[in-house]
Amino acid sequence: MSTQTEISRILSLEEIFSLYPDEWVLIVNPELDEELNVIRGEVLAHATERDEIYSKLSLRNGKSVAIEYTGSIPDNIAVML
């Protein structure tokens, strides 16, 4: 599936997960909590494939970004940041 680019508005992380289930989401100007978890932000792009989101990083125009996956991660998978 192709990457979708959004006309952004500020959404809570819960709204992002609800609107884009099982997708990778590029969020610009994210608001973070004290543990650096995304609270809310503007969705710039979303896609089912991670590499499609990475290819959209040039659209951020110098803004800070976060990338979230809205699906569930299996218990037998380790994630490194």
Side-chain angles (χ1 to χ4, degrees):
M1 181 174 267
S2 65
T3 306
Q4 298 293 313
T5 304
E6 297 294 311
I7 296 175
S8 298
R9 63 184 172 111
I10 296 174
L11 300 171
S12 70
L13 190 60
E14 294 79 18
E15 290 172 311
I16 292 169
F17 272 61
S18 176
L19 290 169
Y20 310 107
D22 301 317
E23 291 194 56
W24 292 90
V25 183
L26 179 60
I27 303 166
V28 293
N29 297 324
E31 181 180 333
L32 307 175
D33 66 14
E34 60 278 348
E35 296 176 358
L36 303 179
N37 297 306
V38 174
I39 298 170
R40 66 183 58 86
E42 301 173 41
V43 174
L44 181 62
H46 60 96
T48 56
E49 298 295 324
R50 181 189 64 193
D51 291 343
E52 292 179 45
I53 289 302
Y54 286 128
S55 73
K56 295 294 182 183
L57 284 172
S58 63
L59 298 175
R60 69 188 182 109
N61 294 326
K63 297 176 184 174
S64 61
V65 296
I67 297 173
E68 292 282 339
Y69 179 66
T70 62
S72 59
I73 299 173
D75 291 336
N76 63 344
I77 299 291
V79 177
M80 294 181 63
L81 303 173

